[in-house]
Amino acid sequence: MDRKEAVLRELNLYPLWVQRNQPALEEPRPVRPELVSGPETPVSVDSVQAPTSLARTEMNNDRAGSPVVKPVSSVGDIDWLQLKEMVRGCTACKLRAGCTQTVFGVGDENADWLFVGEGPGEEEDAQGEPFVGQAGKLLDNMLLAIKLKRGENVYIANVVKCRPPNNRNPDAEEIATCLPYLQRQIELIKPKLIMALGKTASTALLGKDAPLASLRGTLHDFNGIPLVVTFHPAYLLRSPSEKAKAWQDLCFATDEMQKL
Ligand code: SF4
């Protein structure tokens, strides 16, 4: 069994999935006029406002209870070192009291691809790196399936940097408090394309609550950056029959990346 077959078998997609070629990626990135869906209120780290309301919203079939949120503060025009230091010392929400350490993010800080999950789990909390457990193994294989590799032109981060207790979903206030850190990461990375993994990430980045199924297969917009929504790997572990849809999303994202 060769490496490609092994990866596709891991994703339960062999021999159904057909791998596509990944072309060389080029700068600069144009703003795509055909992007069809952006944040209801585009968010800049320098212009974020305190929320007027924090509403918990309807549960979806992916990750439950993802709220529509607005960030509550700005981290300003700081660099990577300052941002990492700020996150490391952050106690701005109640999640910090229950976690081992903050989990900032990992990868190529000039990556074209940014994958955004929800928050650290138990193993991520212990190791200080996102997606290192079984969900991380699946994400790595998803990356390999489209000829990507963790740390090489790929950055991986979460919406919240501290582990929610008992792996619950982060609540609206926690997301709103932490979101400026992710926004600043995005500003510094300047990815060509963002993959939102799961309902919490898509809701936080798009600023609207909608069923994940209605968001898939469409090119969204995050402050001028194309954004594609797919399932969270942890959900795919619980619902392996959905892996074929995740592959469709990866192919869609790869196709869109080729146009950039
Ligand atoms: Fe700070 Fe984010 Fe951790 Fe809350 S989750 S304490 S906002 S780093």
mmCIF file of all heavy atoms in Angstrom, residues 86-97 99 102 159-163 174 177-179 181, ligand 1:
data_model
loop_
_atom_site.group_PDB
_atom_site.id
_atom_site.type_symbol
_atom_site.label_atom_id
_atom_site.label_comp_id
_atom_site.label_asym_id
_atom_site.label_seq_id
_atom_site.Cartn_x
_atom_site.Cartn_y
_atom_site.Cartn_z
ATOM 1 N N MET A 86 0.980 38.000 24.758
ATOM 2 C CA MET A 86 -0.318 38.424 25.276
ATOM 3 C C MET A 86 -1.224 37.225 25.514
ATOM 4 O O MET A 86 -1.887 37.134 26.549
ATOM 5 C CB MET A 86 -0.971 39.413 24.295
ATOM 6 C CG MET A 86 -2.307 39.950 24.763
ATOM 7 S SD MET A 86 -2.990 41.181 23.635
ATOM 8 C CE MET A 86 -1.940 42.569 24.007
ATOM 9 N N VAL A 87 -1.235 36.305 24.562
ATOM 10 C CA VAL A 87 -2.079 35.115 24.724
ATOM 11 C C VAL A 87 -1.563 34.259 25.875
ATOM 12 O O VAL A 87 -2.342 33.752 26.686
ATOM 13 C CB VAL A 87 -2.121 34.312 23.406
ATOM 14 C CG1 VAL A 87 -2.781 32.952 23.629
ATOM 15 C CG2 VAL A 87 -2.859 35.089 22.329
ATOM 16 N N ARG A 88 -0.253 34.108 25.946
ATOM 17 C CA ARG A 88 0.327 33.261 27.000
ATOM 18 C C ARG A 88 -0.089 33.748 28.390
ATOM 19 O O ARG A 88 -0.362 32.950 29.281
ATOM 20 C CB ARG A 88 1.850 33.252 26.877
ATOM 21 C CG ARG A 88 2.539 32.233 27.771
ATOM 22 C CD ARG A 88 4.048 32.218 27.568
ATOM 23 N NE ARG A 88 4.400 31.874 26.201
ATOM 24 C CZ ARG A 88 5.037 32.674 25.348
ATOM 25 N NH1 ARG A 88 5.408 33.881 25.751
ATOM 26 N NH2 ARG A 88 5.315 32.285 24.121
ATOM 27 N N GLY A 89 -0.180 35.038 28.538
ATOM 28 C CA GLY A 89 -0.510 35.586 29.854
ATOM 29 C C GLY A 89 -1.970 35.954 30.032
ATOM 30 O O GLY A 89 -2.345 36.546 31.046
ATOM 31 N N CYS A 90 -2.779 35.593 29.091
ATOM 32 C CA CYS A 90 -4.172 36.038 29.111
ATOM 33 C C CYS A 90 -4.988 35.312 30.184
ATOM 34 O O CYS A 90 -4.911 34.088 30.317
ATOM 35 C CB CYS A 90 -4.807 35.810 27.746
ATOM 36 S SG CYS A 90 -6.519 36.389 27.659
ATOM 37 N N THR A 91 -5.750 36.098 30.897
ATOM 38 C CA THR A 91 -6.729 35.540 31.847
ATOM 39 C C THR A 91 -8.064 36.257 31.656
ATOM 40 O O THR A 91 -8.830 36.426 32.595
ATOM 41 C CB THR A 91 -6.249 35.718 33.300
ATOM 42 O OG1 THR A 91 -5.993 37.114 33.538
ATOM 43 C CG2 THR A 91 -4.982 34.930 33.564
ATOM 44 N N ALA A 92 -8.331 36.642 30.418
ATOM 45 C CA ALA A 92 -9.469 37.535 30.158
ATOM 46 C C ALA A 92 -10.824 36.839 30.265
ATOM 47 O O ALA A 92 -11.836 37.518 30.391
ATOM 48 C CB ALA A 92 -9.321 38.169 28.774
ATOM 49 N N CYS A 93 -10.840 35.521 30.172
ATOM 50 C CA CYS A 93 -12.126 34.832 30.358
ATOM 51 C C CYS A 93 -11.921 33.659 31.297
ATOM 52 O O CYS A 93 -10.801 33.287 31.631
ATOM 53 C CB CYS A 93 -12.723 34.403 29.012
ATOM 54 S SG CYS A 93 -12.078 32.842 28.361
ATOM 55 N N LYS A 94 -13.020 33.062 31.672
ATOM 56 C CA LYS A 94 -12.962 32.024 32.715
ATOM 57 C C LYS A 94 -12.327 30.730 32.243
ATOM 58 O O LYS A 94 -12.020 29.858 33.062
ATOM 59 C CB LYS A 94 -14.356 31.740 33.260
ATOM 60 C CG LYS A 94 -15.380 31.287 32.240
ATOM 61 C CD LYS A 94 -16.750 31.129 32.882
ATOM 62 C CE LYS A 94 -17.813 30.706 31.865
ATOM 63 N NZ LYS A 94 -18.071 31.745 30.827
ATOM 64 N N LEU A 95 -12.097 30.570 30.939
ATOM 65 C CA LEU A 95 -11.491 29.325 30.460
ATOM 66 C C LEU A 95 -10.065 29.142 30.978
ATOM 67 O O LEU A 95 -9.612 28.021 31.189
ATOM 68 C CB LEU A 95 -11.496 29.284 28.931
ATOM 69 C CG LEU A 95 -12.857 29.129 28.251
ATOM 70 C CD1 LEU A 95 -12.689 29.073 26.737
ATOM 71 C CD2 LEU A 95 -13.587 27.892 28.754
ATOM 72 N N ARG A 96 -9.375 30.244 31.189
ATOM 73 C CA ARG A 96 -7.962 30.138 31.583
ATOM 74 C C ARG A 96 -7.793 29.438 32.920
ATOM 75 O O ARG A 96 -6.808 28.717 33.128
ATOM 76 C CB ARG A 96 -7.310 31.523 31.623
ATOM 77 C CG ARG A 96 -5.816 31.489 31.917
ATOM 78 C CD ARG A 96 -5.053 30.810 30.790
ATOM 79 N NE ARG A 96 -3.627 30.640 31.077
ATOM 80 C CZ ARG A 96 -3.115 29.557 31.642
ATOM 81 N NH1 ARG A 96 -3.907 28.564 32.029
ATOM 82 N NH2 ARG A 96 -1.823 29.456 31.848
ATOM 83 N N ALA A 97 -8.749 29.624 33.800
ATOM 84 C CA ALA A 97 -8.631 29.032 35.135
ATOM 85 C C ALA A 97 -8.702 27.509 35.093
ATOM 86 O O ALA A 97 -8.171 26.840 35.994
ATOM 87 C CB ALA A 97 -9.734 29.581 36.041
ATOM 88 N N CYS A 99 -7.666 25.495 32.412
ATOM 89 C CA CYS A 99 -6.798 24.815 31.443
ATOM 90 C C CYS A 99 -5.364 24.767 31.943
ATOM 91 O O CYS A 99 -4.990 25.471 32.882
ATOM 92 C CB CYS A 99 -6.871 25.504 30.080
ATOM 93 S SG CYS A 99 -6.003 27.075 29.976
ATOM 94 N N THR A 102 -2.328 27.997 27.552
ATOM 95 C CA THR A 102 -2.961 28.479 26.326
ATOM 96 C C THR A 102 -2.366 27.730 25.134
ATOM 97 O O THR A 102 -1.212 27.294 25.165
ATOM 98 C CB THR A 102 -2.737 29.990 26.148
ATOM 99 O OG1 THR A 102 -1.330 30.262 26.129
ATOM 100 C CG2 THR A 102 -3.396 30.782 27.276
ATOM 101 N N VAL A 159 -10.468 29.031 17.542
ATOM 102 C CA VAL A 159 -11.201 30.243 17.904
ATOM 103 C C VAL A 159 -10.862 30.656 19.328
ATOM 104 O O VAL A 159 -10.622 31.832 19.602
ATOM 105 C CB VAL A 159 -12.724 30.011 17.746
ATOM 106 C CG1 VAL A 159 -13.511 31.187 18.314
ATOM 107 C CG2 VAL A 159 -13.074 29.806 16.276
ATOM 108 N N VAL A 160 -10.860 29.714 20.261
ATOM 109 C CA VAL A 160 -10.439 30.024 21.633
ATOM 110 C C VAL A 160 -9.138 29.296 21.931
ATOM 111 O O VAL A 160 -8.892 28.202 21.438
ATOM 112 C CB VAL A 160 -11.512 29.659 22.688
ATOM 113 C CG1 VAL A 160 -12.760 30.491 22.479
ATOM 114 C CG2 VAL A 160 -11.833 28.171 22.677
ATOM 115 N N LYS A 161 -8.309 29.936 22.723
ATOM 116 C CA LYS A 161 -6.953 29.432 22.970
ATOM 117 C C LYS A 161 -6.836 28.588 24.234
ATOM 118 O O LYS A 161 -5.762 28.043 24.506
ATOM 119 C CB LYS A 161 -5.965 30.605 23.066
ATOM 120 C CG LYS A 161 -6.095 31.639 21.949
ATOM 121 C CD LYS A 161 -5.970 31.023 20.568
ATOM 122 C CE LYS A 161 -5.960 32.109 19.487
ATOM 123 N NZ LYS A 161 -6.135 31.525 18.138
ATOM 124 N N CYS A 162 -7.906 28.514 25.011
ATOM 125 C CA CYS A 162 -7.869 27.716 26.235
ATOM 126 C C CYS A 162 -8.932 26.624 26.166
ATOM 127 O O CYS A 162 -10.009 26.826 25.601
ATOM 128 C CB CYS A 162 -8.133 28.593 27.460
ATOM 129 S SG CYS A 162 -6.857 29.841 27.737
ATOM 130 N N ARG A 163 -8.618 25.501 26.757
ATOM 131 C CA ARG A 163 -9.519 24.345 26.692
ATOM 132 C C ARG A 163 -10.784 24.583 27.520
ATOM 133 O O ARG A 163 -10.699 24.828 28.724
ATOM 134 C CB ARG A 163 -8.809 23.114 27.222
ATOM 135 C CG ARG A 163 -9.684 21.878 27.182
ATOM 136 C CD ARG A 163 -9.131 20.760 28.044
ATOM 137 N NE ARG A 163 -9.996 19.591 27.979
ATOM 138 C CZ ARG A 163 -9.993 18.627 28.864
ATOM 139 N NH1 ARG A 163 -9.169 18.676 29.901
ATOM 140 N NH2 ARG A 163 -10.817 17.600 28.736
ATOM 141 N N GLU A 174 -16.930 33.774 25.934
ATOM 142 C CA GLU A 174 -15.555 33.271 25.794
ATOM 143 C C GLU A 174 -15.048 33.473 24.358
ATOM 144 O O GLU A 174 -13.909 33.899 24.150
ATOM 145 C CB GLU A 174 -15.513 31.802 26.188
ATOM 146 C CG GLU A 174 -15.769 31.547 27.673
ATOM 147 C CD GLU A 174 -16.313 30.165 27.972
ATOM 148 O OE1 GLU A 174 -16.550 29.383 27.019
ATOM 149 O OE2 GLU A 174 -16.523 29.866 29.169
ATOM 150 N N THR A 177 -14.440 37.168 23.693
ATOM 151 C CA THR A 177 -13.249 37.664 24.388
ATOM 152 C C THR A 177 -11.973 37.236 23.674
ATOM 153 O O THR A 177 -11.010 37.994 23.573
ATOM 154 C CB THR A 177 -13.234 37.147 25.839
ATOM 155 O OG1 THR A 177 -14.456 37.499 26.471
ATOM 156 C CG2 THR A 177 -12.068 37.754 26.617
ATOM 157 N N CYS A 178 -11.980 36.018 23.143
ATOM 158 C CA CYS A 178 -10.755 35.463 22.553
ATOM 159 C C CYS A 178 -10.604 35.790 21.069
ATOM 160 O O CYS A 178 -9.490 35.751 20.535
ATOM 161 C CB CYS A 178 -10.747 33.940 22.748
ATOM 162 S SG CYS A 178 -9.094 33.212 22.769
ATOM 163 N N LEU A 179 -11.681 36.098 20.398
ATOM 164 C CA LEU A 179 -11.648 36.230 18.945
ATOM 165 C C LEU A 179 -10.634 37.256 18.425
ATOM 166 O O LEU A 179 -10.040 37.048 17.353
ATOM 167 C CB LEU A 179 -13.048 36.552 18.425
ATOM 168 C CG LEU A 179 -13.275 36.380 16.928
ATOM 169 C CD1 LEU A 179 -12.937 34.963 16.472
ATOM 170 C CD2 LEU A 179 -14.719 36.731 16.557
ATOM 171 N N TYR A 181 -7.694 37.715 19.223
ATOM 172 C CA TYR A 181 -6.391 37.064 19.031
ATOM 173 C C TYR A 181 -6.336 36.352 17.680
ATOM 174 O O TYR A 181 -5.350 36.437 16.952
ATOM 175 C CB TYR A 181 -6.124 36.060 20.153
ATOM 176 C CG TYR A 181 -6.000 36.661 21.524
ATOM 177 C CD1 TYR A 181 -6.598 36.061 22.628
ATOM 178 C CD2 TYR A 181 -5.270 37.832 21.738
ATOM 179 C CE1 TYR A 181 -6.477 36.607 23.896
ATOM 180 C CE2 TYR A 181 -5.146 38.382 23.006
ATOM 181 C CZ TYR A 181 -5.751 37.765 24.077
ATOM 182 O OH TYR A 181 -5.626 38.311 25.327
HETATM 183 FE FE1 SF4 B 1 -7.695 34.575 27.143
HETATM 184 FE FE2 SF4 B 1 -8.731 33.276 25.048
HETATM 185 FE FE3 SF4 B 1 -7.784 31.887 27.105
HETATM 186 FE FE4 SF4 B 1 -10.037 33.274 27.390
HETATM 187 S S1 SF4 B 1 -9.709 31.500 25.997
HETATM 188 S S2 SF4 B 1 -8.318 33.246 28.845
HETATM 189 S S3 SF4 B 1 -9.632 35.080 26.095
HETATM 190 S S4 SF4 B 1 -6.588 33.210 25.717
#
